[in-house]
Amino acid sequence: MEKLVIHGGNRLSGEVEISGAKNAAVAIIPATLLAQDVCRIENIPNISDVSCMIRILSQMGAQIRYINKHTIEINTKTVNSYIVPHEMTKQLRASYYLIGALLGRYSRAKVALPGGCNFGVRPIDLHIKGFELLGATATVENAMINAAADHLTGSPIYMDKVSVGATINVMLAAVKARGLTIIENAAKEPHIVDLANFLNAMGADVRGAGTDVIKIHGVSNLHGCTYAIIPDQIEAGTYMVAAAATGGDVLVKNVIPKHLESITAKLLECGVSVTEYDDSVRVQSDGKFKKINLKTMPHPGFPTDMQPQMAVLLSVADGTSLVSEGVWDNRFKYIDQLVRMGAKVQVDGTMAVFEGVEELTGAPVKADDLRAGAAMIIAGLMARGTTEVEDIIYIDRGYEDYVEKLRNMGADIYRKEILQQNDVESVG
Ligand code: UD1
């Protein structure tokens, strides 16, 4: 096991190249189950959630060929089962996309309930409602979701709540259903559009992705294709905030600036300079921040997956900032860690009040989940003294080569092996 050691205080400067989007990749990889021949996917991020999804497909019998670090070819013709046991799904929330993809392919799926980041209850009732409206029966027994239909039939589906996962799962199940599916109140995140583009590249007929009404005309066959995944909006946002938080000057490259607008807007409000170019943004900061209020919302609102990182910056803003979490019930767990570093925060349900302090001080902390871990890194980079971050396995799930990328920008950060109890005994 490893931890991170961060000596804070260095300004980040230079450039950082953003990798492919995690949340698009973990939807597009299972979507290859719908194709009849080889899909070549480019700009795949080299992170553990993606390796985990690729390993699951491989265990299901798919043939996977790595062309290089960021390009794979997947042939799912050799898959011959619609059952995915707990051992495969437990590490990865997005394993639930296998339900939609297998239903789309076989009209049957038996998939163990997923693992992943724990920020409160994460229901899947909307996914199940969507499958049922497409004509499947769906039950949960022994922690497995069992969905089956003679054949799926297109249907109007109104999402009671905007859900990224349910929108994607219904898209996967509906692309080969008979007739027209209309998803209303659909999620609009960039990775929904990316998945729709991928499905269309395979011959699907998906229209309206990126708006709240998605129309899917079912087709009988999907073919292989070559497709490049979009850049990761949250990885980009994380480096933008890290650059700002350290009073730095960083060019964040290989991004779609439009996807970053809500993050850019909040940084500007804090007094940070953000300049947009065609496929990069430059962030410049003097390390002084104005207080702001922030509410997370589904896209195009401020992303919940950027809330912990931005909150770290607000912990040293000039005045009192209000952070309201509008997507998840329990996404402030990381604040206990931040308070250990000197932040002054009061949490009341889904609202946190940050009273800006002069500076943070280094401390031993842990990553409670993926984005909480990213927030701890930013806190460590800003803090006076040394911060050690444990449980970094969460961060490895979603950020490619982050230690190297940060070191290239001047951060003093490295991985260190954690001595286990046995090691301590043998040493001493
Ligand atoms: C995805 C992202 C996650 C991000 C979240 C919101 C992936 C792999 N994960 O998660 O990083 O934080 O979107 O942007 O892409 N809900 C229900 N019933 C359901 C499904 C969801 O009530 O059946 C609720 C959830 O409890 C939550 C809200 O809807 O309050 C949004 O969840 P959803 O958009 O589905 O999140 P995920 O797809 O799980």
Side-chain angles (χ1 to χ4, degrees):
M1 263 208 299
E2 290 179 320
K3 63 182 171 186
L4 295 173
V5 180
I6 306 168
H7 300 293
N10 290 8
R11 288 177 68 236
L12 297 188
S13 65
E15 298 179 353
V16 61
E17 187 88 25
I18 298 308
S19 303
K22 166 178 106 65
N23 288 347
V26 295
I28 284 173
I29 294 166
T32 61
L33 281 164
L34 296 160
Q36 284 182 323
D37 37 41
V38 179
C39 294
R40 183 184 174 111
I41 307 171
E42 300 167 350
N43 206 27
I44 289 265
N46 188 22
I47 51 177
S48 68
D49 263 12
V50 163
S51 330
C52 187
M53 187 59 97
I54 290 171
R55 200 167 49 244
I56 294 174
L57 279 199
S58 164
Q59 286 167 339
M60 291 171 71
Q63 290 171 351
I64 314 274
R65 195 158 79 94
Y66 275 89
I67 308 300
N68 58 46
K69 186 176 171 188
H70 295 121
T71 304
I72 52 170
E73 284 184 353
I74 306 180
N75 183 352
T76 59
K77 238 181 170 175
T78 40
V79 172
N80 56 17
S81 169
Y82 58 85
I83 300 173
V84 192
H86 177 67
E87 296 72 52
M88 294 192 202
T89 64
K90 65 183 175 192
Q91 286 164 24
L92 183 66
R93 182 80 195 156
S95 54
Y96 57 29
Y97 294 145
L98 293 162
I99 314 169
L102 287 168
L103 257 184
R105 173 166 169 155
Y106 293 115
S107 299
R108 289 212 70 166
K110 205 170 168 189
V111 179
L113 288 169
C117 279
N118 177 17
F119 23 82
V121 183
R122 296 186 74 168
I124 55 162
D125 55 307
L126 295 172
H127 304 232
I128 289 180
K129 176 183 163 184
F131 299 144
E132 286 176 342
L133 284 166
L134 292 173
T137 54
T139 51
V140 180
E141 271 169 47
N142 303 328
M144 299 221 37
I145 299 157
N146 195 351
D150 286 339
H151 61 262
L152 296 172
T153 310
S155 163
I157 298 175
Y158 179 81
M159 295 287 175
D160 302 320
K161 192 166 182 180
V162 178
S163 161
V164 172
T167 302
I168 288 179
N169 241 337
V170 168
M171 287 166 74
L172 293 171
V175 273
K176 291 178 74 181
R178 294 182 193 167
L180 174 66
T181 297
I182 303 177
I183 308 174
E184 301 229 36
N185 202 23
K188 296 180 280 205
E189 269 64 7
H191 41 288
I192 303 273
V193 180
D194 211 31
L195 174 67
N197 288 341
F198 174 69
L199 293 170
N200 287 341
M202 291 199 294
D205 185 350
V206 181
R207 301 176 197 198
T211 75
D212 47 19
V213 182
I214 301 178
K215 292 188 180 169
I216 303 168
H217 287 272
V219 296
S220 47
N221 286 311
L222 294 177
H223 50 75
C225 66
T226 296
Y227 191 80
I229 288 177
I230 52 166
D232 197 303
Q233 171 206 23
I234 305 299
E235 187 198 15
T238 302
Y239 287 118
M240 289 168 75
V241 174
T246 58
D249 180 352
V250 169
L251 187 68
V252 183
K253 293 170 69 176
N254 183 36
V255 299
I256 299 173
K258 178 93 189 139
H259 293 170
L260 302 171
E261 273 174 355
S262 62
I263 302 164
T264 299
K266 284 294 161 189
L267 285 173
L268 290 172
E269 213 180 312
C270 287
V272 175
S273 155
V274 183
T275 315
E276 287 182 8
Y277 302 99
D278 285 348
D279 60 359
S280 60
V281 290
R282 182 175 176 185
V283 178
Q284 295 165 286
S285 148
D286 60 6
K288 307 241 176 298
F289 311 109
K290 295 181 202 151
K291 64 177 175 140
I292 59 163
N293 294 336
L294 182 76
K295 182 170 169 69
T296 67
M297 281 183 283
H299 192 80
F302 189 88
T304 172
D305 287 356
M306 280 300 300
Q307 181 258 104
Q309 302 91 311
M310 194 69 189
V312 170
L313 184 143
L314 297 180
S315 68
V316 297
D318 185 13
T320 302
S321 301
L322 301 182
V323 175
S324 165
E325 172 55 51
V327 178
W328 297 107
D329 293 338
N330 181 15
R331 207 167 187 176
F332 285 136
K333 257 173 36 186
Y334 70 91
I335 284 177
D336 287 347
Q337 307 298 313
L338 206 52
V339 168
R340 289 162 62 87
M341 299 180 70
K344 280 197 183 159
V345 195
Q346 296 286 333
V347 178
D348 183 4
T350 54
M351 173 78 85
V353 182
F354 285 76
E355 193 188 317
V357 294
E358 207 48 44
E359 63 174 3
L360 298 178
T361 47
V365 292
K366 65 184 170 80
D368 278 310
D369 61 54
L370 167 59
R371 307 305 171 186
M376 289 307 116
I377 295 180
I378 296 173
L381 295 172
M382 292 166 77
R384 180 164 50 83
T386 303
T387 298
E388 296 195 344
V389 187
E390 293 199 358
D391 292 346
I392 61 171
I393 191 167
Y394 286 110
I395 311 173
D396 297 339
R397 286 185 37 207
Y399 289 92
E400 176 172 334
D401 296 341
Y402 57 94
V403 170
E404 294 72 17
K405 289 184 184 185
L406 287 166
R407 288 179 68 84
N408 280 341
M409 291 185 279
D412 187 346
I413 178 172
Y414 56 93
R415 289 173 185 265
K416 189 174 176 187
E417 197 69 35
I418 298 178
L419 288 182
Q420 303 296 308
Q421 197 53 42
N422 301 351
D423 300 334
V424 176
E425 278 164 12
S426 64
V427 170

